[in-house]
mmCIF file with all atom_site columns, all heavy atoms in Angstrom:
data_model
loop_
_atom_site.group_PDB
_atom_site.id
_atom_site.type_symbol
_atom_site.label_atom_id
_atom_site.label_alt_id
_atom_site.label_comp_id
_atom_site.label_asym_id
_atom_site.label_entity_id
_atom_site.label_seq_id
_atom_site.pdbx_PDB_ins_code
_atom_site.Cartn_x
_atom_site.Cartn_y
_atom_site.Cartn_z
_atom_site.occupancy
_atom_site.B_iso_or_equiv
_atom_site.pdbx_formal_charge
_atom_site.auth_seq_id
_atom_site.auth_comp_id
_atom_site.auth_asym_id
_atom_site.auth_atom_id
_atom_site.pdbx_PDB_model_num
ATOM 1   N N   . ALA B 1 7  ? 54.905 141.117 165.521 1.00 0.00 ? 1049 ALA B N   1
ATOM 2   C CA  . ALA B 1 7  ? 54.292 139.907 165.002 1.00 0.00 ? 1049 ALA B CA  1
ATOM 3   C C   . ALA B 1 7  ? 55.294 138.793 164.748 1.00 0.00 ? 1049 ALA B C   1
ATOM 4   O O   . ALA B 1 7  ? 54.920 137.693 164.378 1.00 0.00 ? 1049 ALA B O   1
ATOM 5   C CB  . ALA B 1 7  ? 53.539 140.220 163.711 1.00 0.00 ? 1049 ALA B CB  1
ATOM 6   N N   . ALA B 1 8  ? 56.582 139.082 164.920 1.00 0.00 ? 1050 ALA B N   1
ATOM 7   C CA  . ALA B 1 8  ? 57.602 138.085 164.606 1.00 0.00 ? 1050 ALA B CA  1
ATOM 8   C C   . ALA B 1 8  ? 57.593 136.984 165.652 1.00 0.00 ? 1050 ALA B C   1
ATOM 9   O O   . ALA B 1 8  ? 57.586 137.253 166.851 1.00 0.00 ? 1050 ALA B O   1
ATOM 10  C CB  . ALA B 1 8  ? 58.969 138.733 164.543 1.00 0.00 ? 1050 ALA B CB  1
ATOM 11  N N   . PRO B 1 9  ? 57.630 135.723 165.252 1.00 0.00 ? 1051 PRO B N   1
ATOM 12  C CA  . PRO B 1 9  ? 57.590 134.635 166.223 1.00 0.00 ? 1051 PRO B CA  1
ATOM 13  C C   . PRO B 1 9  ? 58.933 134.341 166.856 1.00 0.00 ? 1051 PRO B C   1
ATOM 14  O O   . PRO B 1 9  ? 58.997 133.723 167.891 1.00 0.00 ? 1051 PRO B O   1
ATOM 15  C CB  . PRO B 1 9  ? 57.128 133.439 165.374 1.00 0.00 ? 1051 PRO B CB  1
ATOM 16  C CG  . PRO B 1 9  ? 57.614 133.768 163.992 1.00 0.00 ? 1051 PRO B CG  1
ATOM 17  C CD  . PRO B 1 9  ? 57.545 135.266 163.876 1.00 0.00 ? 1051 PRO B CD  1
ATOM 18  N N   . THR B 1 10 ? 60.019 134.767 166.210 1.00 0.00 ? 1052 THR B N   1
ATOM 19  C CA  . THR B 1 10 ? 61.342 134.473 166.738 1.00 0.00 ? 1052 THR B CA  1
ATOM 20  C C   . THR B 1 10 ? 61.837 135.615 167.601 1.00 0.00 ? 1052 THR B C   1
ATOM 21  O O   . THR B 1 10 ? 61.444 136.765 167.410 1.00 0.00 ? 1052 THR B O   1
ATOM 22  C CB  . THR B 1 10 ? 62.327 134.248 165.581 1.00 0.00 ? 1052 THR B CB  1
ATOM 23  O OG1 . THR B 1 10 ? 62.322 135.409 164.737 1.00 0.00 ? 1052 THR B OG1 1
ATOM 24  C CG2 . THR B 1 10 ? 61.930 133.036 164.776 1.00 0.00 ? 1052 THR B CG2 1
ATOM 25  N N   . PRO B 1 11 ? 62.721 135.351 168.594 1.00 0.00 ? 1053 PRO B N   1
ATOM 26  C CA  . PRO B 1 11 ? 63.228 136.418 169.469 1.00 0.00 ? 1053 PRO B CA  1
ATOM 27  C C   . PRO B 1 11 ? 64.114 137.388 168.720 1.00 0.00 ? 1053 PRO B C   1
ATOM 28  O O   . PRO B 1 11 ? 64.688 137.062 167.682 1.00 0.00 ? 1053 PRO B O   1
ATOM 29  C CB  . PRO B 1 11 ? 64.028 135.645 170.525 1.00 0.00 ? 1053 PRO B CB  1
ATOM 30  C CG  . PRO B 1 11 ? 64.397 134.371 169.849 1.00 0.00 ? 1053 PRO B CG  1
ATOM 31  C CD  . PRO B 1 11 ? 63.243 134.038 168.944 1.00 0.00 ? 1053 PRO B CD  1
ATOM 32  N N   . ALA B 1 12 ? 64.215 138.594 169.259 1.00 0.00 ? 1054 ALA B N   1
ATOM 33  C CA  . ALA B 1 12 ? 65.037 139.619 168.623 1.00 0.00 ? 1054 ALA B CA  1
ATOM 34  C C   . ALA B 1 12 ? 66.500 139.232 168.689 1.00 0.00 ? 1054 ALA B C   1
ATOM 35  O O   . ALA B 1 12 ? 66.948 138.652 169.676 1.00 0.00 ? 1054 ALA B O   1
ATOM 36  C CB  . ALA B 1 12 ? 64.832 140.962 169.336 1.00 0.00 ? 1054 ALA B CB  1
ATOM 37  N N   . PRO B 1 13 ? 67.269 139.529 167.637 1.00 0.00 ? 1055 PRO B N   1
ATOM 38  C CA  . PRO B 1 13 ? 68.704 139.221 167.674 1.00 0.00 ? 1055 PRO B CA  1
ATOM 39  C C   . PRO B 1 13 ? 69.402 140.102 168.689 1.00 0.00 ? 1055 PRO B C   1
ATOM 40  O O   . PRO B 1 13 ? 68.884 141.150 169.074 1.00 0.00 ? 1055 PRO B O   1
ATOM 41  C CB  . PRO B 1 13 ? 69.163 139.530 166.246 1.00 0.00 ? 1055 PRO B CB  1
ATOM 42  C CG  . PRO B 1 13 ? 68.160 140.520 165.732 1.00 0.00 ? 1055 PRO B CG  1
ATOM 43  C CD  . PRO B 1 13 ? 66.861 140.155 166.380 1.00 0.00 ? 1055 PRO B CD  1
ATOM 44  N N   . PRO B 1 14 ? 70.574 139.694 169.176 1.00 0.00 ? 1056 PRO B N   1
ATOM 45  C CA  . PRO B 1 14 ? 71.290 140.498 170.165 1.00 0.00 ? 1056 PRO B CA  1
ATOM 46  C C   . PRO B 1 14 ? 71.747 141.809 169.569 1.00 0.00 ? 1056 PRO B C   1
ATOM 47  O O   . PRO B 1 14 ? 71.888 141.943 168.352 1.00 0.00 ? 1056 PRO B O   1
ATOM 48  C CB  . PRO B 1 14 ? 72.488 139.614 170.534 1.00 0.00 ? 1056 PRO B CB  1
ATOM 49  C CG  . PRO B 1 14 ? 72.674 138.734 169.344 1.00 0.00 ? 1056 PRO B CG  1
ATOM 50  C CD  . PRO B 1 14 ? 71.301 138.488 168.801 1.00 0.00 ? 1056 PRO B CD  1
ATOM 51  N N   . PRO B 1 15 ? 71.970 142.831 170.401 1.00 0.00 ? 1057 PRO B N   1
ATOM 52  C CA  . PRO B 1 15 ? 72.407 144.121 169.895 1.00 0.00 ? 1057 PRO B CA  1
ATOM 53  C C   . PRO B 1 15 ? 73.797 144.024 169.298 1.00 0.00 ? 1057 PRO B C   1
ATOM 54  O O   . PRO B 1 15 ? 74.582 143.162 169.673 1.00 0.00 ? 1057 PRO B O   1
ATOM 55  C CB  . PRO B 1 15 ? 72.403 145.014 171.142 1.00 0.00 ? 1057 PRO B CB  1
ATOM 56  C CG  . PRO B 1 15 ? 72.558 144.067 172.269 1.00 0.00 ? 1057 PRO B CG  1
ATOM 57  C CD  . PRO B 1 15 ? 71.872 142.798 171.861 1.00 0.00 ? 1057 PRO B CD  1
ATOM 58  N N   . PRO B 1 16 ? 74.125 144.933 168.349 1.00 0.00 ? 1058 PRO B N   1
ATOM 59  C CA  . PRO B 1 16 ? 75.466 144.913 167.764 1.00 0.00 ? 1058 PRO B CA  1
ATOM 60  C C   . PRO B 1 16 ? 76.522 145.298 168.777 1.00 0.00 ? 1058 PRO B C   1
ATOM 61  O O   . PRO B 1 16 ? 76.224 145.918 169.793 1.00 0.00 ? 1058 PRO B O   1
ATOM 62  C CB  . PRO B 1 16 ? 75.369 145.956 166.641 1.00 0.00 ? 1058 PRO B CB  1
ATOM 63  C CG  . PRO B 1 16 ? 74.264 146.869 167.052 1.00 0.00 ? 1058 PRO B CG  1
ATOM 64  C CD  . PRO B 1 16 ? 73.288 146.004 167.803 1.00 0.00 ? 1058 PRO B CD  1
ATOM 65  N N   . ALA B 1 17 ? 77.745 144.899 168.514 1.00 0.00 ? 1059 ALA B N   1
ATOM 66  C CA  . ALA B 1 17 ? 78.852 145.173 169.438 1.00 0.00 ? 1059 ALA B CA  1
ATOM 67  C C   . ALA B 1 17 ? 79.288 146.616 169.292 1.00 0.00 ? 1059 ALA B C   1
ATOM 68  O O   . ALA B 1 17 ? 80.217 146.931 168.568 1.00 0.00 ? 1059 ALA B O   1
ATOM 69  C CB  . ALA B 1 17 ? 80.007 144.226 169.167 1.00 0.00 ? 1059 ALA B CB  1
ATOM 70  N N   . GLY B 1 18 ? 78.615 147.499 169.979 1.00 0.00 ? 1060 GLY B N   1
ATOM 71  C CA  . GLY B 1 18 ? 78.985 148.904 169.936 1.00 0.00 ? 1060 GLY B CA  1
ATOM 72  C C   . GLY B 1 18 ? 77.992 149.728 169.157 1.00 0.00 ? 1060 GLY B C   1
ATOM 73  O O   . GLY B 1 18 ? 77.278 149.241 168.299 1.00 0.00 ? 1060 GLY B O   1
ATOM 74  N N   . CYS B 1 19 ? 77.956 151.009 169.484 1.00 0.00 ? 1061 CYS B N   1
ATOM 75  C CA  . CYS B 1 19 ? 77.043 151.914 168.815 1.00 0.00 ? 1061 CYS B CA  1
ATOM 76  C C   . CYS B 1 19 ? 77.505 152.164 167.387 1.00 0.00 ? 1061 CYS B C   1
ATOM 77  O O   . CYS B 1 19 ? 78.668 152.473 167.151 1.00 0.00 ? 1061 CYS B O   1
ATOM 78  C CB  . CYS B 1 19 ? 77.001 153.230 169.589 1.00 0.00 ? 1061 CYS B CB  1
ATOM 79  S SG  . CYS B 1 19 ? 76.127 154.521 168.726 1.00 0.00 ? 1061 CYS B SG  1
ATOM 80  N N   . PRO B 1 20 ? 76.628 152.076 166.397 1.00 0.00 ? 1062 PRO B N   1
ATOM 81  C CA  . PRO B 1 20 ? 77.050 152.276 165.008 1.00 0.00 ? 1062 PRO B CA  1
ATOM 82  C C   . PRO B 1 20 ? 77.449 153.706 164.697 1.00 0.00 ? 1062 PRO B C   1
ATOM 83  O O   . PRO B 1 20 ? 78.065 153.955 163.661 1.00 0.00 ? 1062 PRO B O   1
ATOM 84  C CB  . PRO B 1 20 ? 75.806 151.874 164.207 1.00 0.00 ? 1062 PRO B CB  1
ATOM 85  C CG  . PRO B 1 20 ? 74.668 152.099 165.136 1.00 0.00 ? 1062 PRO B CG  1
ATOM 86  C CD  . PRO B 1 20 ? 75.200 151.748 166.499 1.00 0.00 ? 1062 PRO B CD  1
ATOM 87  N N   . MET B 1 21 ? 77.097 154.646 165.575 1.00 0.00 ? 1063 MET B N   1
ATOM 88  C CA  . MET B 1 21 ? 77.445 156.038 165.315 1.00 0.00 ? 1063 MET B CA  1
ATOM 89  C C   . MET B 1 21 ? 78.909 156.323 165.571 1.00 0.00 ? 1063 MET B C   1
ATOM 90  O O   . MET B 1 21 ? 79.436 157.342 165.154 1.00 0.00 ? 1063 MET B O   1
ATOM 91  C CB  . MET B 1 21 ? 76.595 156.976 166.184 1.00 0.00 ? 1063 MET B CB  1
ATOM 92  C CG  . MET B 1 21 ? 75.109 156.813 166.010 1.00 0.00 ? 1063 MET B CG  1
ATOM 93  S SD  . MET B 1 21 ? 74.579 157.031 164.303 1.00 0.00 ? 1063 MET B SD  1
ATOM 94  C CE  . MET B 1 21 ? 74.977 158.757 164.055 1.00 0.00 ? 1063 MET B CE  1
ATOM 95  N N   . HIS B 1 22 ? 79.613 155.424 166.277 1.00 0.00 ? 1064 HIS B N   1
ATOM 96  C CA  . HIS B 1 22 ? 81.017 155.658 166.585 1.00 0.00 ? 1064 HIS B CA  1
ATOM 97  C C   . HIS B 1 22 ? 81.885 155.391 165.373 1.00 0.00 ? 1064 HIS B C   1
ATOM 98  O O   . HIS B 1 22 ? 81.681 154.442 164.637 1.00 0.00 ? 1064 HIS B O   1
ATOM 99  C CB  . HIS B 1 22 ? 81.475 154.774 167.746 1.00 0.00 ? 1064 HIS B CB  1
ATOM 100 C CG  . HIS B 1 22 ? 80.978 155.251 169.068 1.00 0.00 ? 1064 HIS B CG  1
ATOM 101 N ND1 . HIS B 1 22 ? 80.699 154.400 170.105 1.00 0.00 ? 1064 HIS B ND1 1
ATOM 102 C CD2 . HIS B 1 22 ? 80.701 156.490 169.514 1.00 0.00 ? 1064 HIS B CD2 1
ATOM 103 C CE1 . HIS B 1 22 ? 80.280 155.090 171.143 1.00 0.00 ? 1064 HIS B CE1 1
ATOM 104 N NE2 . HIS B 1 22 ? 80.273 156.359 170.804 1.00 0.00 ? 1064 HIS B NE2 1
ATOM 105 N N   . ASN B 1 23 ? 82.888 156.213 165.207 1.00 0.00 ? 1065 ASN B N   1
ATOM 106 C CA  . ASN B 1 23 ? 83.852 156.059 164.117 1.00 0.00 ? 1065 ASN B CA  1
ATOM 107 C C   . ASN B 1 23 ? 84.938 155.100 164.576 1.00 0.00 ? 1065 ASN B C   1
ATOM 108 O O   . ASN B 1 23 ? 86.040 155.498 164.902 1.00 0.00 ? 1065 ASN B O   1
ATOM 109 C CB  . ASN B 1 23 ? 84.442 157.425 163.752 1.00 0.00 ? 1065 ASN B CB  1
ATOM 110 C CG  . ASN B 1 23 ? 85.335 157.351 162.539 1.00 0.00 ? 1065 ASN B CG  1
ATOM 111 O OD1 . ASN B 1 23 ? 85.239 156.425 161.740 1.00 0.00 ? 1065 ASN B OD1 1
ATOM 112 N ND2 . ASN B 1 23 ? 86.201 158.331 162.391 1.00 0.00 ? 1065 ASN B ND2 1
ATOM 113 N N   . ASP B 1 24 ? 84.607 153.825 164.615 1.00 0.00 ? 1066 ASP B N   1
ATOM 114 C CA  . ASP B 1 24 ? 85.502 152.816 165.164 1.00 0.00 ? 1066 ASP B CA  1
ATOM 115 C C   . ASP B 1 24 ? 86.596 152.478 164.166 1.00 0.00 ? 1066 ASP B C   1
ATOM 116 O O   . ASP B 1 24 ? 86.368 151.812 163.162 1.00 0.00 ? 1066 ASP B O   1
ATOM 117 C CB  . ASP B 1 24 ? 84.692 151.557 165.496 1.00 0.00 ? 1066 ASP B CB  1
ATOM 118 C CG  . ASP B 1 24 ? 85.526 150.482 166.159 1.00 0.00 ? 1066 ASP B CG  1
ATOM 119 O OD1 . ASP B 1 24 ? 86.722 150.737 166.401 1.00 0.00 ? 1066 ASP B OD1 1
ATOM 120 O OD2 . ASP B 1 24 ? 84.981 149.400 166.417 1.00 0.00 ? 1066 ASP B OD2 1
ATOM 121 N N   . GLN B 1 25 ? 87.816 152.926 164.433 1.00 0.00 ? 1067 GLN B N   1
ATOM 122 C CA  . GLN B 1 25 ? 88.924 152.666 163.527 1.00 0.00 ? 1067 GLN B CA  1
ATOM 123 C C   . GLN B 1 25 ? 89.287 151.190 163.482 1.00 0.00 ? 1067 GLN B C   1
ATOM 124 O O   . GLN B 1 25 ? 89.937 150.741 162.555 1.00 0.00 ? 1067 GLN B O   1
ATOM 125 C CB  . GLN B 1 25 ? 90.149 153.482 163.961 1.00 0.00 ? 1067 GLN B CB  1
ATOM 126 C CG  . GLN B 1 25 ? 89.912 154.983 163.995 1.00 0.00 ? 1067 GLN B CG  1
ATOM 127 C CD  . GLN B 1 25 ? 89.710 155.580 162.619 1.00 0.00 ? 1067 GLN B CD  1
ATOM 128 O OE1 . GLN B 1 25 ? 90.021 154.949 161.620 1.00 0.00 ? 1067 GLN B OE1 1
ATOM 129 N NE2 . GLN B 1 25 ? 89.191 156.798 162.556 1.00 0.00 ? 1067 GLN B NE2 1
ATOM 130 N N   . GLN B 1 26 ? 88.876 150.406 164.494 1.00 0.00 ? 1068 GLN B N   1
ATOM 131 C CA  . GLN B 1 26 ? 89.217 148.991 164.544 1.00 0.00 ? 1068 GLN B CA  1
ATOM 132 C C   . GLN B 1 26 ? 88.136 148.113 163.931 1.00 0.00 ? 1068 GLN B C   1
ATOM 133 O O   . GLN B 1 26 ? 88.252 146.899 163.932 1.00 0.00 ? 1068 GLN B O   1
ATOM 134 C CB  . GLN B 1 26 ? 89.441 148.569 166.009 1.00 0.00 ? 1068 GLN B CB  1
ATOM 135 C CG  . GLN B 1 26 ? 90.497 149.389 166.730 1.00 0.00 ? 1068 GLN B CG  1
ATOM 136 C CD  . GLN B 1 26 ? 91.850 149.280 166.077 1.00 0.00 ? 1068 GLN B CD  1
ATOM 137 O OE1 . GLN B 1 26 ? 92.226 148.221 165.592 1.00 0.00 ? 1068 GLN B OE1 1
ATOM 138 N NE2 . GLN B 1 26 ? 92.584 150.372 166.040 1.00 0.00 ? 1068 GLN B NE2 1
#
Side-chain angles (χ1 to χ4, degrees):
T1052 57
C1061 170
M1063 303 303 295
H1064 285 149
N1065 186 21
D1066 184 2
Q1067 301 292 344
Q1068 304 299 323

